[in-house]
């Protein structure tokens, strides 16, 4: 059974977004995409379930009815399989009239098979005998597979559509002329005045009360399944919101930090101060590089740069604070302080330079000019907390941040790739996981006056890595 994705589901989500905050609207948009993706997957799953069910029925029919005329029903089962294939082709996200038509074809064809006698049967039975085979139960197969991908409204509608076509089929059978009156009279004579027994045994009886009972039970089941599908969609929307929050966290924090944050309630709202390693990275001379170049080439270069820098930040347990055009700011020790924050920042800086050297080799092979990256590092106390009203941002502010930015600017003056404050180097050496290799390429420089800091800062530099 293929998927009918109701546009009403998504329309309702959009209407609910009216008047909400931007963050809530973004969550609903994320939920829309999740519902659409879920129903695309349900489309394929439901069709496969249909084919499996039809195959099982085709195998069991000859066992239940070991006669040649059963081939008629097996052939029509093949028609149901073709309808499923057609639904797979026309099914789409949104309302689809061809798909609605194919759903109706399913129900109409099953009603026809159930009510109309097999034209190839050698037995001349009354029309009422068709209802003795209890084939109405096959409607439940269609309804069950429909829940795999249909919206709750469509499952609910299927209950009423089935009831309608079944009532039409029963009405048609009831209006057929009586063909076995003598047989019915014999049964009446045998049971006497017991009307209920006569209705049960009479081969020509349609059994209107039983047919009414079938419709009633089917509607109850359809409404129950529709409510279950609706509840499932609500859970999907809720889950989509959670996944969106995790995705937003993953944009800034390393995966291990995301796992920790997602397990806490509002862990970022508390304003606090703590010691943090701050890193600034920037492309040297990017303004001149971008001047006069094709915009697509400029953006591609930025994407290559940020992709590699982001990977290094997350590999070393850092937090991507923000992109700054042709640069970025990252922190180590946020939102929670670690045992190797300064050392991770230093290793990340070296990893960035090495990664850019690898990128430059690739750019050389493509006849593209190399890019040069400068990195500044500092360690100290910062203020952490959320800022903003509707669109919150996790802010890291303070003198340490400003100093790290100015240390990055000093790389031009010293002609190097990395400038690290002595405070960070001393902190890294105090951390237990350091090794001599972490400081092998650092060269101590005289103390420098940094705007915003009262005392001169001893710095360490690290040269570029050859491409």
């Amino acid at each position: 059974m293929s998927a009918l994705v109701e546009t009403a589901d998504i329309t309702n989500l959009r209407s609910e977004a009216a008047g909400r905050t931007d963050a809530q609207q973004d969550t609903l948009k994320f939920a829309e995409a999740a519902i659409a993706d879920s129903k695309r997957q349900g489309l394929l799953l439901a069709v496969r379930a249909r084919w499996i069910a039809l195959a099982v029925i085709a195998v069991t029919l000859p066992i239940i009815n070991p006669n040649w005329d059963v081939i008629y029903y097996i052939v029509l089962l093949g028609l149901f399989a073709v309808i499923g294939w057609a639904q797979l082709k026309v099914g789409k996200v949104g309302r689809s009239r061809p798909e609605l038509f194919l759903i109706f074809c399913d129900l109409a064809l099953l009603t026809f098979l159930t009510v109309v006698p097999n034209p190839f049967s050698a037995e001349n039975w009354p029309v009422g005998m068709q209802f003795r085979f209890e084939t109405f139960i096959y409607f439940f197969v269609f309804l069950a597979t429909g829940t795999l991908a249909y919206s709750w409204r469509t499952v609910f509608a299927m209950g009423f559509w089935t009831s309608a076509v079944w009532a039409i089929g029963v009405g048609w059978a009831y209006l057929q002329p009586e063909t076995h009156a003598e047989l019915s009279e014999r049964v009446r004579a045998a049971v006497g005045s017991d009307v209920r027994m006569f209705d049960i045994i009479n081969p020509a009886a349609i059994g209107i009360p039983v047919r009414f009972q079938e419709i009633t039970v089917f509607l109850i089941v359809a409404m129950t399944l529709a409510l279950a599908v609706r509840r499932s969609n609500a859970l999907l929307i809720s889950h989509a919101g959670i996944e969106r929050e995790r995705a937003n966290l993953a944009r800034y924090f390393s995966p291990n930090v995301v796992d920790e944050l997602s397990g806490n309630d509002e862990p970022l709202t508390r304003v606090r101060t703590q010691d943090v390693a701050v890193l600034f990275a920037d492309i040297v001379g990017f303004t001149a590089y971008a001047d006069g170049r094709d915009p697509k080439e400029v953006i591609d270069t930025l994407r290559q740069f940020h992709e590699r820098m982001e990977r290094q930040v997350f590999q070393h347990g850092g937090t991507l604070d923000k992109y700054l055009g042709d640069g970025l700011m990252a922190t180590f020790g946020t939102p929670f302080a670690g045992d190797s924050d300064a050392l991770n920042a230093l290793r990340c800086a070296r990893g960035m330079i090495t990664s850019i050297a690898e990128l430059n080799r690739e750019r050389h092979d493509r006849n593209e000019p190399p890019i040069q990256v400068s990195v500044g590092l500092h360690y100290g106390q910062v203020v952490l907390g959320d800022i903003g009203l509707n669109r919150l941002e996790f802010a890291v502010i303070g003198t340490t941040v400003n100093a790290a930015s100015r240390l990055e600017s000093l790389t031009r003056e010293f002609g190097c790739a990395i400038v690290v404050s002595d405070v960070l180097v001393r902190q890294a050496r105090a951390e237990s996981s350091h090794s001599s290799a972490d400081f092998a390429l650092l060269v101590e420089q005289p103390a420098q006056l940094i705007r915003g800091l009262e005392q001169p800062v001893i710095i360490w530099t690290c040269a570029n890595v050859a491409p």
Side-chain angles (χ1 to χ4, degrees):
M1 188 82 61
S2 70
L4 174 63
V5 182
E6 295 280 1
T7 52
D9 287 347
I10 295 179
T11 301
N12 285 348
L13 283 174
R14 289 172 180 166
S15 64
E16 290 173 4
R20 299 193 180 199
T21 64
D22 290 340
Q24 289 172 316
Q25 290 178 355
D26 288 344
T27 299
L28 289 174
K29 290 178 181 178
F30 198 89
E32 289 179 16
I35 288 176
D37 183 64
S38 174
K39 291 186 176 181
R40 287 189 193 98
Q41 295 175 8
L43 173 63
L44 183 59
L45 179 61
V47 171
R48 288 176 176 173
R50 162 196 282 255
W51 287 340
I52 293 173
L54 290 174
V56 172
I57 294 171
V59 171
T60 57
L61 272 179
I63 299 174
I64 297 172
N65 182 21
N67 295 298
W68 285 106
D69 58 8
V70 78
I71 296 177
Y72 167 75
Y73 298 108
I74 294 176
V75 170
L76 289 182
L77 287 178
L79 183 56
F80 281 115
V82 172
I83 292 175
W85 173 83
Q87 288 175 332
L88 187 61
K89 293 299 181 182
V90 303
K92 64 179 182 180
V93 177
R95 194 179 298 277
S96 171
R97 290 184 178 180
E99 194 171 9
L100 285 170
F101 174 73
L102 290 172
I103 292 174
F104 183 79
C105 288
D106 272 333
L107 303 178
L109 180 58
L110 184 55
T111 302
F112 176 83
L113 276 175
T114 303
V115 175
V116 179
N118 186 342
F120 300 104
S121 176
E123 304 294 340
N124 183 23
W125 286 348
V127 173
M129 284 294 294
Q130 288 294 114
F131 298 97
R132 302 305 176 92
F133 302 130
E134 303 296 341
T135 49
F136 183 81
I137 59 175
Y138 291 111
F139 280 106
F140 287 96
V141 175
F142 284 86
L143 184 65
T145 54
T147 60
L148 294 174
Y150 283 16
S151 74
W152 69 269
R153 288 180 176 84
T154 305
V155 173
F156 189 78
M158 277 188 67
F160 285 94
W161 294 349
T162 300
S163 300
V165 295
W166 184 243
I168 292 172
V170 172
W172 173 87
Y174 182 79
L175 295 175
Q176 295 305 301
E178 190 173 358
T179 58
H180 294 71
E182 293 181 0
L183 181 58
S184 296
E185 288 302 323
R186 290 188 196 135
V187 174
R188 187 183 298 279
V191 300
S193 60
D194 192 337
V195 177
R196 293 178 62 189
M197 180 68 73
F198 173 73
D199 288 338
I200 294 173
I201 298 178
N202 182 15
I206 303 299
I208 298 299
V210 177
R211 308 288 80 83
F212 178 78
Q213 177 179 283
E214 290 171 342
I215 289 176
T216 302
V217 172
F218 191 84
L219 282 173
I220 292 173
V221 173
M223 287 187 287
T224 303
L225 291 177
L227 290 175
V229 173
R230 184 178 185 182
R231 182 173 179 272
S232 177
N233 280 351
L235 291 174
L236 178 64
I237 293 171
S238 175
H239 180 71
I242 295 173
E243 287 302 312
R244 173 184 174 271
E245 292 170 2
R246 285 182 61 89
N248 284 341
L249 287 173
R251 293 168 55 195
Y252 304 102
F253 301 112
S254 58
N256 58 319
V257 176
V258 171
D259 292 336
E260 186 171 355
L261 290 175
S262 61
N264 293 275
D265 296 329
E266 300 183 353
L268 306 182
T269 55
R270 183 172 59 87
V271 178
R272 60 195 184 278
T273 60
Q274 67 186 53
D275 289 335
V276 167
V278 182
L279 177 152
F280 277 86
D282 189 52
I283 300 179
V284 178
F286 186 77
T287 302
Y289 168 84
D291 186 29
R293 289 187 181 274
D294 179 72
K296 184 178 182 303
E297 182 181 351
V298 174
I299 294 299
D300 286 344
T301 299
L302 282 177
R303 286 173 177 168
Q304 294 169 15
F305 166 74
H306 284 304
E307 177 186 357
R308 288 174 176 268
M309 299 300 97
E310 174 186 305
R311 188 184 307 130
Q312 291 298 322
V313 171
F314 289 162
Q315 282 181 356
H316 292 88
T319 297
L320 180 59
D321 187 87
K322 60 175 68 71
Y323 288 121
L324 303 168
D326 59 332
L328 59 87
M329 170 185 166
T331 56
F332 298 79
T334 59
F336 310 111
D339 297 330
S340 305
D341 296 330
L343 191 58
N344 285 340
L346 184 59
R347 289 172 176 173
C348 178
R350 293 182 58 180
M352 287 177 168
I353 302 304
T354 302
S355 181
I356 291 300
E358 295 172 353
L359 174 61
N360 282 335
R361 285 192 287 269
E362 297 174 6
R363 291 175 64 85
H364 179 269
D365 294 338
R366 297 192 297 265
N367 294 320
E368 296 175 353
I371 60 176
Q372 182 180 343
V373 174
S374 58
V375 182
L377 296 167
H378 190 40
Y379 185 86
Q381 195 172 78
V382 298
V383 178
L384 307 174
D386 284 340
I387 58 174
L389 179 60
N390 292 328
R391 202 171 273 280
L392 297 177
E393 178 180 342
F394 181 65
V396 180
I397 56 177
T399 303
T400 300
V401 176
N402 299 331
S405 176
R406 288 162 188 150
L407 288 173
E408 183 274 321
S409 300
L410 280 179
T411 57
R412 281 74 163 173
E413 180 179 335
F414 284 88
C416 62
I418 303 173
V419 172
V420 189
S421 69
D422 185 63
V423 178
L424 188 140
V425 172
R426 285 188 282 109
Q427 175 63 28
R429 282 176 171 160
E431 293 171 350
S432 59
S433 58
H434 78 274
S435 67
S436 58
D438 293 317
F439 311 97
L441 299 179
L442 294 179
V443 177
E444 186 176 4
Q445 304 291 346
Q448 303 290 317
L449 284 173
I450 305 297
R451 185 163 54 92
L453 298 181
E454 295 180 358
Q455 299 295 328
V457 176
I458 298 174
I459 63 171
W460 297 73
T461 61
C462 178
N464 278 303
V465 176

